[in-house]
Amino acid sequence: MVTTEAKRVQPRQPNCDLDTVLKLEQANLNCFPSLMTHHDGSWISRLSPGGSARRNNSLNFYDVNDGDDAEERLVAARQRFKKRGVAFHVRWTPLIPAEVDQVLTEQNYTRLDETLVLSRSIWVLGDTDVPKGYKLSQVSLDEWIRKYAQVGGAQPGAPLDATVQALHDVLSRVAVELVSLIVETDDGIPAAVLLGVVDGDMLGIFSVATAKAYRRQGLAYALMCEVQRLGAERGAETAWLQVVAENAPAVELYASLGYREAYAYHYCLDVQP
């Protein structure tokens, strides 16, 4: 996501306990592995030089009590990012130590792009009702990434652009089960895509996208129902996803499927040279 204007974000308390936040954050790690990681206690620097996703290029925290020497450790982390030519983003979640948050505030880090983590029990599923004129199928990652690019506007057979190629490279390293779903017209034109990741009793849902010409026809809804059904078959009990807080249509869709906010996170951007 490209940020053209930073909107002020206020940290806020989660709607669930911190054990649940930790479980969801660990699932996020498994769903989107980074090229490189550095562990400093419970602080993890995630680095994927050349990739655009900040979740893979940010400093993350997994213990609210691990805040000793916060300023010095932030300086060291910043240097690791600088060495790799990656902008230094701190990923703020309810697991961030208070000492770190205080330093971020004192040093005027820019807080931007609030994202909601939504979850629901995977049970009580709706039927997968694919609209007439479309077909839904599960495909390989390689095929899914090509269809994903076309849904985003790429021409059939065109080389993947750098961002889509980076996404493919990340997903090819996922150690748990991928559920790659597409909806096509009866003529074989990609109309919508969704990616699920089954990790034990957790189903992560990502990259829900519908081509502009095929929106408001229930395709995303059908994909959501199908991935929940397949996730349940594979033993998942909780479905979860992330959505930018300002994306009202997506938030409304997920709310209609029973998803509720567990917590919110945002990024803190270091503006120092």
Side-chain angles (χ1 to χ4, degrees):
M1 174 178 176
V2 177
T3 301
T4 56
E5 181 179 354
K7 181 178 180 179
R8 185 174 179 83
V9 173
Q10 293 292 342
R12 51 197 179 89
Q13 294 300 309
N15 294 326
C16 61
D17 59 72
L18 291 182
D19 287 342
T20 299
V21 176
L22 177 59
K23 186 173 183 178
L24 287 164
E25 285 295 292
Q26 290 172 330
N28 182 61
L29 281 176
N30 292 337
C31 290
F32 274 80
S34 298
L35 282 174
M36 296 178 286
T37 58
H38 178 276
H39 294 253
D40 174 12
S42 66
W43 300 22
I44 300 181
S45 294
R46 307 185 67 199
L47 290 155
S48 297
S52 61
R54 285 173 302 188
R55 76 178 76 197
N56 285 357
N57 285 291
S58 57
L59 175 61
N60 296 254
F61 306 89
Y62 298 90
D63 184 352
V64 294
N65 297 311
D66 186 10
D68 292 346
D69 304 315
E71 187 168 1
E72 293 82 358
R73 292 163 75 184
L74 279 170
V75 169
R78 184 188 301 115
Q79 289 303 313
R80 282 191 289 274
F81 281 72
K82 184 176 181 180
K83 180 180 179 181
R84 297 294 179 178
V86 176
F88 185 50
H89 285 87
V90 177
R91 189 167 176 269
W92 190 103
T93 77
L95 297 176
I96 194 169
E99 298 88 341
V100 176
D101 197 29
Q102 181 177 348
V103 173
L104 298 177
T105 299
E106 291 174 350
Q107 296 187 0
N108 296 316
Y109 275 60
T110 300
R111 298 177 185 264
L112 66 163
D113 295 341
E114 184 175 51
T115 300
L116 308 179
V117 179
L118 311 179
S119 66
R120 59 152 287 173
S121 168
I122 204 168
W123 309 111
V124 192
L125 304 176
D127 294 330
T128 302
D129 185 13
V130 183
K132 186 177 180 180
Y134 298 93
K135 53 188 177 182
L136 190 158
S137 55
Q138 183 175 354
V139 298
S140 68
L141 174 60
D142 286 348
E143 181 175 354
W144 184 89
I145 204 75
R146 292 193 298 272
K147 305 296 186 182
Y148 172 84
Q150 291 176 47
V151 165
Q155 294 299 312
L160 301 179
D161 66 26
T163 299
V164 176
Q165 184 63 58
L167 176 61
H168 176 271
D169 294 345
V170 167
L171 296 175
S172 66
R173 297 192 299 273
V174 173
V176 289
E177 184 177 3
L178 296 177
V179 180
S180 311
L181 301 179
I182 62 172
V183 173
E184 298 175 289
T185 67
D186 287 342
D187 295 331
I189 300 173
V193 295
L194 178 151
L195 184 75
V197 184
V198 180
D199 181 13
D201 63 354
M202 306 288 285
L203 168 68
I205 299 172
F206 303 92
S207 302
V208 184
T210 304
K212 188 174 181 180
Y214 302 102
R215 292 175 185 169
R216 300 187 180 279
Q217 299 184 47
L219 303 184
Y221 187 92
L223 284 167
M224 290 291 296
C225 290
E226 180 67 2
V227 77
Q228 289 178 169
R229 184 186 69 80
L230 293 172
E233 286 184 353
R234 288 157 173 77
E237 298 179 0
T238 299
W240 67 277
L241 53 87
Q242 302 170 341
V243 60
V244 175
E246 293 183 338
N247 188 349
V251 173
E252 181 179 353
L253 168 65
Y254 301 137
S256 74
L257 282 165
Y259 286 83
R260 298 294 180 264
E261 179 181 335
Y263 63 96
Y265 71 84
H266 62 270
Y267 291 95
C268 302
L269 175 63
D270 176 28
V271 295
Q272 297 183 37

PDB file of all heavy atoms in Angstrom, residues 162-180:
ATOM      1  N   ALA A 162       7.320  -6.533 -10.281  1.00  0.00           N
ATOM      2  CA  ALA A 162       8.182  -6.789  -9.130  1.00  0.00           C
ATOM      3  C   ALA A 162       7.383  -7.068  -7.858  1.00  0.00           C
ATOM      4  O   ALA A 162       7.751  -7.945  -7.062  1.00  0.00           O
ATOM      5  CB  ALA A 162       9.126  -5.606  -8.914  1.00  0.00           C
ATOM      6  N   THR A 163       6.279  -6.345  -7.656  1.00  0.00           N
ATOM      7  CA  THR A 163       5.489  -6.522  -6.442  1.00  0.00           C
ATOM      8  C   THR A 163       4.830  -7.896  -6.402  1.00  0.00           C
ATOM      9  O   THR A 163       4.852  -8.588  -5.375  1.00  0.00           O
ATOM     10  CB  THR A 163       4.418  -5.424  -6.344  1.00  0.00           C
ATOM     11  OG1 THR A 163       5.049  -4.141  -6.286  1.00  0.00           O
ATOM     12  CG2 THR A 163       3.568  -5.610  -5.105  1.00  0.00           C
ATOM     13  N   VAL A 164       4.251  -8.312  -7.521  1.00  0.00           N
ATOM     14  CA  VAL A 164       3.589  -9.619  -7.574  1.00  0.00           C
ATOM     15  C   VAL A 164       4.620 -10.741  -7.477  1.00  0.00           C
ATOM     16  O   VAL A 164       4.400 -11.758  -6.812  1.00  0.00           O
ATOM     17  CB  VAL A 164       2.746  -9.747  -8.853  1.00  0.00           C
ATOM     18  CG1 VAL A 164       2.129 -11.135  -8.963  1.00  0.00           C
ATOM     19  CG2 VAL A 164       1.653  -8.687  -8.868  1.00  0.00           C
ATOM     20  N   GLN A 165       5.769 -10.554  -8.105  1.00  0.00           N
ATOM     21  CA  GLN A 165       6.831 -11.562  -8.004  1.00  0.00           C
ATOM     22  C   GLN A 165       7.312 -11.699  -6.573  1.00  0.00           C
ATOM     23  O   GLN A 165       7.560 -12.811  -6.078  1.00  0.00           O
ATOM     24  CB  GLN A 165       8.001 -11.190  -8.911  1.00  0.00           C
ATOM     25  CG  GLN A 165       9.117 -12.228  -8.940  1.00  0.00           C
ATOM     26  CD  GLN A 165       8.656 -13.561  -9.500  1.00  0.00           C
ATOM     27  OE1 GLN A 165       8.170 -13.651 -10.623  1.00  0.00           O
ATOM     28  NE2 GLN A 165       8.802 -14.629  -8.709  1.00  0.00           N
ATOM     29  N   ALA A 166       7.421 -10.569  -5.860  1.00  0.00           N
ATOM     30  CA  ALA A 166       7.832 -10.618  -4.457  1.00  0.00           C
ATOM     31  C   ALA A 166       6.810 -11.373  -3.618  1.00  0.00           C
ATOM     32  O   ALA A 166       7.168 -12.153  -2.721  1.00  0.00           O
ATOM     33  CB  ALA A 166       8.026  -9.199  -3.914  1.00  0.00           C
ATOM     34  N   LEU A 167       5.519 -11.157  -3.912  1.00  0.00           N
ATOM     35  CA  LEU A 167       4.468 -11.892  -3.200  1.00  0.00           C
ATOM     36  C   LEU A 167       4.601 -13.389  -3.460  1.00  0.00           C
ATOM     37  O   LEU A 167       4.502 -14.208  -2.528  1.00  0.00           O
ATOM     38  CB  LEU A 167       3.092 -11.398  -3.633  1.00  0.00           C
ATOM     39  CG  LEU A 167       1.891 -12.137  -3.050  1.00  0.00           C
ATOM     40  CD1 LEU A 167       1.856 -12.027  -1.537  1.00  0.00           C
ATOM     41  CD2 LEU A 167       0.584 -11.618  -3.662  1.00  0.00           C
ATOM     42  N   HIS A 168       4.823 -13.764  -4.706  1.00  0.00           N
ATOM     43  CA  HIS A 168       4.999 -15.183  -5.040  1.00  0.00           C
ATOM     44  C   HIS A 168       6.179 -15.771  -4.281  1.00  0.00           C
ATOM     45  O   HIS A 168       6.098 -16.887  -3.738  1.00  0.00           O
ATOM     46  CB  HIS A 168       5.211 -15.349  -6.546  1.00  0.00           C
ATOM     47  CG  HIS A 168       5.487 -16.768  -6.953  1.00  0.00           C
ATOM     48  ND1 HIS A 168       6.761 -17.297  -6.996  1.00  0.00           N
ATOM     49  CD2 HIS A 168       4.653 -17.782  -7.325  1.00  0.00           C
ATOM     50  CE1 HIS A 168       6.701 -18.555  -7.375  1.00  0.00           C
ATOM     51  NE2 HIS A 168       5.437 -18.876  -7.578  1.00  0.00           N
ATOM     52  N   ASP A 169       7.279 -15.036  -4.214  1.00  0.00           N
ATOM     53  CA  ASP A 169       8.471 -15.532  -3.540  1.00  0.00           C
ATOM     54  C   ASP A 169       8.207 -15.755  -2.051  1.00  0.00           C
ATOM     55  O   ASP A 169       8.675 -16.737  -1.462  1.00  0.00           O
ATOM     56  CB  ASP A 169       9.632 -14.562  -3.727  1.00  0.00           C
ATOM     57  CG  ASP A 169      10.085 -14.470  -5.172  1.00  0.00           C
ATOM     58  OD1 ASP A 169       9.711 -15.351  -5.974  1.00  0.00           O
ATOM     59  OD2 ASP A 169      10.798 -13.510  -5.506  1.00  0.00           O
ATOM     60  N   VAL A 170       7.454 -14.842  -1.441  1.00  0.00           N
ATOM     61  CA  VAL A 170       7.105 -14.999  -0.028  1.00  0.00           C
ATOM     62  C   VAL A 170       6.222 -16.232   0.163  1.00  0.00           C
ATOM     63  O   VAL A 170       6.479 -17.080   1.020  1.00  0.00           O
ATOM     64  CB  VAL A 170       6.388 -13.741   0.502  1.00  0.00           C
ATOM     65  CG1 VAL A 170       5.743 -14.011   1.862  1.00  0.00           C
ATOM     66  CG2 VAL A 170       7.363 -12.573   0.611  1.00  0.00           C
ATOM     67  N   LEU A 171       5.173 -16.343  -0.635  1.00  0.00           N
ATOM     68  CA  LEU A 171       4.223 -17.445  -0.464  1.00  0.00           C
ATOM     69  C   LEU A 171       4.853 -18.805  -0.746  1.00  0.00           C
ATOM     70  O   LEU A 171       4.452 -19.812  -0.161  1.00  0.00           O
ATOM     71  CB  LEU A 171       3.015 -17.227  -1.372  1.00  0.00           C
ATOM     72  CG  LEU A 171       2.169 -15.982  -1.060  1.00  0.00           C
ATOM     73  CD1 LEU A 171       1.065 -15.809  -2.098  1.00  0.00           C
ATOM     74  CD2 LEU A 171       1.577 -16.069   0.347  1.00  0.00           C
ATOM     75  N   SER A 172       5.831 -18.838  -1.618  1.00  0.00           N
ATOM     76  CA  SER A 172       6.488 -20.117  -1.918  1.00  0.00           C
ATOM     77  C   SER A 172       7.296 -20.635  -0.740  1.00  0.00           C
ATOM     78  O   SER A 172       7.681 -21.814  -0.722  1.00  0.00           O
ATOM     79  CB  SER A 172       7.388 -19.965  -3.151  1.00  0.00           C
ATOM     80  OG  SER A 172       8.477 -19.088  -2.871  1.00  0.00           O
ATOM     81  N   ARG A 173       7.546 -19.778   0.260  1.00  0.00           N
ATOM     82  CA  ARG A 173       8.286 -20.200   1.450  1.00  0.00           C
ATOM     83  C   ARG A 173       7.372 -20.546   2.626  1.00  0.00           C
ATOM     84  O   ARG A 173       7.862 -20.889   3.709  1.00  0.00           O
ATOM     85  CB  ARG A 173       9.274 -19.097   1.873  1.00  0.00           C
ATOM     86  CG  ARG A 173      10.358 -18.803   0.852  1.00  0.00           C
ATOM     87  CD  ARG A 173      11.444 -17.937   1.449  1.00  0.00           C
ATOM     88  NE  ARG A 173      10.925 -16.651   1.891  1.00  0.00           N
ATOM     89  CZ  ARG A 173      10.811 -15.576   1.107  1.00  0.00           C
ATOM     90  NH1 ARG A 173      11.158 -15.644  -0.175  1.00  0.00           N
ATOM     91  NH2 ARG A 173      10.359 -14.435   1.573  1.00  0.00           N
ATOM     92  N   VAL A 174       6.083 -20.445   2.447  1.00  0.00           N
ATOM     93  CA  VAL A 174       5.163 -20.767   3.537  1.00  0.00           C
ATOM     94  C   VAL A 174       5.247 -22.262   3.839  1.00  0.00           C
ATOM     95  O   VAL A 174       5.113 -23.104   2.941  1.00  0.00           O
ATOM     96  CB  VAL A 174       3.718 -20.375   3.161  1.00  0.00           C
ATOM     97  CG1 VAL A 174       2.731 -20.870   4.217  1.00  0.00           C
ATOM     98  CG2 VAL A 174       3.615 -18.861   3.025  1.00  0.00           C
ATOM     99  N   ALA A 175       5.454 -22.590   5.124  1.00  0.00           N
ATOM    100  CA  ALA A 175       5.669 -23.985   5.509  1.00  0.00           C
ATOM    101  C   ALA A 175       4.377 -24.727   5.836  1.00  0.00           C
ATOM    102  O   ALA A 175       4.404 -25.942   6.034  1.00  0.00           O
ATOM    103  CB  ALA A 175       6.618 -24.046   6.704  1.00  0.00           C
ATOM    104  N   VAL A 176       3.265 -23.997   5.911  1.00  0.00           N
ATOM    105  CA  VAL A 176       1.979 -24.631   6.198  1.00  0.00           C
ATOM    106  C   VAL A 176       1.140 -24.652   4.920  1.00  0.00           C
ATOM    107  O   VAL A 176       1.608 -24.272   3.848  1.00  0.00           O
ATOM    108  CB  VAL A 176       1.262 -23.913   7.356  1.00  0.00           C
ATOM    109  CG1 VAL A 176       1.979 -24.202   8.669  1.00  0.00           C
ATOM    110  CG2 VAL A 176       1.193 -22.406   7.130  1.00  0.00           C
ATOM    111  N   GLU A 177      -0.111 -25.084   5.015  1.00  0.00           N
ATOM    112  CA  GLU A 177      -0.905 -25.358   3.803  1.00  0.00           C
ATOM    113  C   GLU A 177      -1.549 -24.105   3.228  1.00  0.00           C
ATOM    114  O   GLU A 177      -2.238 -23.352   3.915  1.00  0.00           O
ATOM    115  CB  GLU A 177      -1.993 -26.379   4.113  1.00  0.00           C
ATOM    116  CG  GLU A 177      -2.796 -26.779   2.877  1.00  0.00           C
ATOM    117  CD  GLU A 177      -3.822 -27.852   3.167  1.00  0.00           C
ATOM    118  OE1 GLU A 177      -3.953 -28.253   4.332  1.00  0.00           O
ATOM    119  OE2 GLU A 177      -4.487 -28.284   2.206  1.00  0.00           O
ATOM    120  N   LEU A 178      -1.341 -23.904   1.936  1.00  0.00           N
ATOM    121  CA  LEU A 178      -2.000 -22.830   1.202  1.00  0.00           C
ATOM    122  C   LEU A 178      -3.286 -23.348   0.571  1.00  0.00           C
ATOM    123  O   LEU A 178      -3.338 -24.474   0.075  1.00  0.00           O
ATOM    124  CB  LEU A 178      -1.088 -22.287   0.101  1.00  0.00           C
ATOM    125  CG  LEU A 178       0.218 -21.606   0.521  1.00  0.00           C
ATOM    126  CD1 LEU A 178       1.011 -21.198  -0.720  1.00  0.00           C
ATOM    127  CD2 LEU A 178      -0.056 -20.402   1.401  1.00  0.00           C
ATOM    128  N   VAL A 179      -4.308 -22.497   0.573  1.00  0.00           N
ATOM    129  CA  VAL A 179      -5.561 -22.778  -0.126  1.00  0.00           C
ATOM    130  C   VAL A 179      -5.768 -21.647  -1.119  1.00  0.00           C
ATOM    131  O   VAL A 179      -6.183 -20.547  -0.761  1.00  0.00           O
ATOM    132  CB  VAL A 179      -6.747 -22.873   0.859  1.00  0.00           C
ATOM    133  CG1 VAL A 179      -8.033 -23.165   0.100  1.00  0.00           C
ATOM    134  CG2 VAL A 179      -6.488 -23.933   1.917  1.00  0.00           C
ATOM    135  N   SER A 180      -5.441 -21.892  -2.380  1.00  0.00           N
ATOM    136  CA  SER A 180      -5.422 -20.852  -3.416  1.00  0.00           C
ATOM    137  C   SER A 180      -6.691 -20.950  -4.249  1.00  0.00           C
ATOM    138  O   SER A 180      -6.860 -21.898  -5.025  1.00  0.00           O
ATOM    139  CB  SER A 180      -4.190 -21.019  -4.310  1.00  0.00           C
ATOM    140  OG  SER A 180      -3.021 -21.175  -3.529  1.00  0.00           O
TER     141      SER A 180
END
